[in-house]
């Protein structure tokens, strides 16, 4: 059921000129919070994400990835090299509260739609730019793609075990983090605009988002003589944490064990050899030895057996769950985290809702991702774009 409580960003209009993941994910979050998001796409082909498939899964002619990240938006088809289309787009820019773009550095300026040009026409606009590696420098013109940003950031040397080589995240983590950082900057400038009336230019990059994501361990590196992170060779889960931190196989599955006293853990699990490691410094220096002992011991019983010993003692642990197992839990059901969205064609997609709750309202929308240019005529009527004249 869709809640009718007014949302925080209702009345704001967002022009989303971005494609793929980072920019569109930011626009999605603004839409979830009530903004009207107009996705500006090239006629015919639209956002290239429409053809970016996950497991070759398609719905109503577009990839499910596109459906997931572009729900709750309207599509306006415009050729940015066509003077008539540009004239109409400028009329939308005059009305926009937020504009998001993720063209490679310099491209948006050559199109005449850079921040300086837009701000002259609409000084109140909050303009968001996403790049791969910043607006200048030797990497500025390189492809801003998630795996490439992960690889350049050093992040891939924190995952996996010591002998594994570099291990990337199984998710598009650079894109999603960058989109979240963009939302933070856009909202900050909207708050400032409410006070001063002045808009602003928010710039984020995939590389900066990945570096910020690592700020804790990168700061350790910077203040520890430049010592490279050393992953545990046994069940590594954090290169800078000692035993018992990691995931362990049990008789019927896996269990996650976080920070805690190794001696206390040995007592709770009945693992006598762990009691010899009384010095907390040994929990890092001898972590592979400790983890190997623990790994062998935990295989002797089921996950639930160990949870029954650790949870009542408030020792930090959790079962390692699949999506199927998670979705069956009462905890997941209480979150009411799934929703169904639909296109006007009737195509339906089950997906997640916005993770933010505002004034008790779990933010949902039934509007599915649009077809290319589906709302062009509707938007032109709504915003009075019938007269084609150049702006500025």
């Amino acid at each position: 059921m869709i809640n009718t409580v007014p949302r925080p960003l209702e009345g704001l209009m967002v022009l989303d000129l971005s494609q793929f993941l980072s920019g569109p994910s930011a626009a999605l979050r603004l839409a979830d919070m009530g903004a009207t998001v107009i996705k500006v796409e090239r006629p015919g082909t639209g956002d290239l994400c429409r053809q970016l498939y996950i497991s070759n899964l398609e719905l109503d002619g577009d990839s499910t990835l596109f459906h997931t990240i572009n729900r709750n938006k309207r599509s306006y088809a415009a050729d940015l090299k066509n003077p008539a289309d540009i004239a109409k787009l400028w009329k939308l820019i005059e009305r926009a509260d937020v504009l998001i773009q993720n063209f490679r550095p310099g491209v948006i300026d050559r199109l005449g739609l850079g921040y300086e040009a837009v701000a002259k026409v609409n000084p109140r606009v909050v303009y968001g730019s996403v790049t791969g590696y910043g607006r200048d420098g030797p990497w500025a013109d390189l492809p801003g793609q998630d795996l490439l940003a992960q690889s350049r950031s050093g992040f891939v040397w924190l995952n996996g075990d010591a002998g594994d080589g570099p291990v990337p995240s199984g998710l598009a983590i650079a894109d999603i983090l960058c989109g979240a950082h963009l939302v933070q900057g856009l909202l900050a400038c909207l708050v400032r605009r409410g006070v001063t009336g002045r808009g602003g230019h928010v710039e984020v990059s995939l590389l900066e988002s990945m570096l910020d994501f690592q700020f804790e361990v990168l700061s350790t590196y910077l203040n520890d003589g430049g010592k490279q992170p050393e992953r545990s060779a046994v069940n590594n889960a954090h290169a800078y944490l000692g035993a018992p931190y990691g995931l362990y196989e049990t008789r019927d599955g896996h269990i996650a064990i976080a920070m805690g006293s190794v001696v206390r853990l040995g007592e709770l699990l009945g693992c006598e050899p762990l009691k010899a490691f009384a010095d907390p410094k040994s929990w890092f220096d001898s972590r592979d030895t400790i983890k190997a002992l623990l790994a062998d011991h935990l295989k002797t019983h089921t996950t639930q057996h160990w949870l029954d010993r650790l949870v009542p003692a408030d020792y930090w642990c959790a079962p390692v769950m699949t999506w199927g197992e998670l979705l069956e839990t009462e905890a997941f059901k209480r979150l009411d985290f799934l929703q169904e969205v639909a296109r006007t064609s009737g195509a339906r997609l089950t997906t997640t809702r916005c993770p933010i709750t505002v004034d008790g309202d779990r933010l949902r929308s039934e509007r599915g991702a649009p077809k290319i240019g589906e709302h062009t005529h509707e938007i032109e009527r709504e915003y009075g774009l019938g007269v084609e004249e150049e702006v500025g």
Side-chain angles (χ1 to χ4, degrees):
M1 180 178 179
I2 304 300
N3 200 321
T4 58
V5 174
R7 300 191 177 181
L9 301 184
E10 283 189 15
L12 296 184
M13 191 260 274
V14 177
L15 288 180
D16 180 12
L17 277 66
S18 63
Q19 57 181 348
F20 290 118
L21 299 180
S22 52
S25 71
L28 169 64
R29 189 60 67 233
L30 299 177
D32 283 336
M33 291 189 283
T36 295
V37 174
I38 298 175
K39 185 174 183 65
V40 180
E41 301 185 81
R42 69 187 71 183
T45 56
D47 183 343
L48 295 179
C49 188
R50 291 180 181 272
Q51 285 78 50
L52 184 61
Y53 294 98
I54 295 180
S55 299
N56 295 322
L57 195 57
E58 182 180 283
L59 176 65
D60 200 31
D62 294 307
S63 73
T64 53
L65 176 59
F66 176 84
H67 281 274
T68 301
I69 212 160
N70 288 286
R71 59 178 173 79
N72 203 17
K73 302 177 185 178
R74 294 193 288 172
S75 175
Y76 183 79
D79 180 351
L80 300 187
K81 296 181 180 179
N82 181 308
D85 286 359
I86 284 290
K88 292 180 180 180
L89 181 59
W90 274 111
K91 286 182 173 293
L92 288 175
I93 290 173
E94 287 181 318
R95 304 272 297 272
D97 297 286
V98 174
L99 187 151
I100 297 172
Q101 65 87 18
N102 64 350
F103 291 92
R104 287 197 193 187
V107 173
I108 195 72
D109 293 299
R110 289 195 293 271
L111 291 170
L113 298 170
Y115 172 66
E116 298 299 333
V118 167
K120 287 180 181 178
V121 172
N122 182 355
R124 289 175 53 82
V125 75
V126 176
Y127 189 107
S129 296
V130 182
T131 60
Y133 308 102
R135 72 161 83 176
D136 52 29
W139 292 353
D141 292 328
L142 296 177
Q145 193 275 336
D146 189 275
L147 179 62
L148 309 185
Q150 286 191 47
S151 299
R152 285 191 169 94
S153 75
F155 171 78
V156 294
W157 292 105
L158 299 175
N159 310 302
D161 294 337
D164 287 343
V167 179
S169 168
L171 299 170
I173 189 170
D175 279 315
I176 300 306
L177 286 170
C178 192
H181 291 154
L182 179 59
V183 170
Q184 293 169 18
L186 294 173
L187 293 179
C189 276
L190 285 170
V191 170
R192 184 183 69 182
R193 190 185 74 170
V195 176
T196 68
R198 178 168 60 92
H201 187 191
V202 179
E203 298 177 81
V204 295
S205 74
L206 300 185
L207 182 59
E208 288 169 289
S209 289
M210 286 305 302
L211 292 173
D212 178 76
F213 188 51
Q214 302 171 86
F215 78 98
E216 181 184 13
V217 293
L218 182 55
S219 295
T220 299
Y221 168 83
L222 293 170
N223 293 277
D224 191 25
K227 182 181 178 181
Q228 290 293 331
E230 297 178 7
R231 296 172 292 181
S232 172
V234 180
N235 297 358
N236 178 70
H238 195 298
Y240 285 91
L241 292 180
Y245 202 87
L247 306 183
Y248 297 86
E249 184 180 355
T250 66
R251 180 187 293 175
D252 65 346
H254 293 81
I255 187 171
I257 299 179
M259 292 84 72
S261 165
V262 169
V263 175
R264 175 63 171 152
L265 183 62
E267 295 171 351
L268 292 169
L269 299 179
C271 185
E272 290 296 323
L274 295 188
K275 297 180 182 179
F277 297 92
D279 183 358
K281 292 183 179 179
S282 70
W283 302 347
F284 187 87
D285 295 338
S286 302
R287 64 180 174 178
D288 284 350
T289 301
I290 296 170
K291 285 185 170 187
L293 292 168
L294 185 56
D296 287 341
H297 187 74
L298 289 171
K299 291 177 183 177
T300 62
H301 286 288
T302 66
T303 299
Q304 192 58 53
H305 174 86
W306 300 124
L307 291 172
D308 290 342
R309 290 169 176 257
L310 296 176
V311 172
D314 197 27
Y315 201 99
W316 292 2
C317 64
V320 178
M321 309 180 81
T322 64
W323 285 332
E325 292 167 338
L326 170 65
L327 267 59
E328 290 300 315
T329 65
E330 181 59 27
F332 179 81
K333 293 174 182 177
R334 287 288 295 275
L335 292 175
D336 193 19
F337 200 62
L338 301 181
Q339 65 177 355
E340 188 174 65
V341 298
R343 274 185 169 173
T344 53
S345 65
R348 308 189 73 83
L349 177 77
T350 299
T351 186
T352 57
R353 62 167 172 81
C354 176
I356 301 167
T357 299
V358 178
D359 296 332
D361 181 18
R362 286 174 168 166
L363 306 180
R364 304 173 177 275
S365 173
E366 294 178 342
R367 183 198 295 270
K371 287 281 193 179
I372 301 171
E374 178 180 348
H375 305 95
T376 299
H377 297 309
E378 175 184 306
I379 290 168
E380 288 182 349
R381 288 194 303 270
E382 182 176 338
Y383 291 95
L385 309 185
V387 178
E388 300 177 0
E389 59 182 25
E390 294 188 6
V391 176

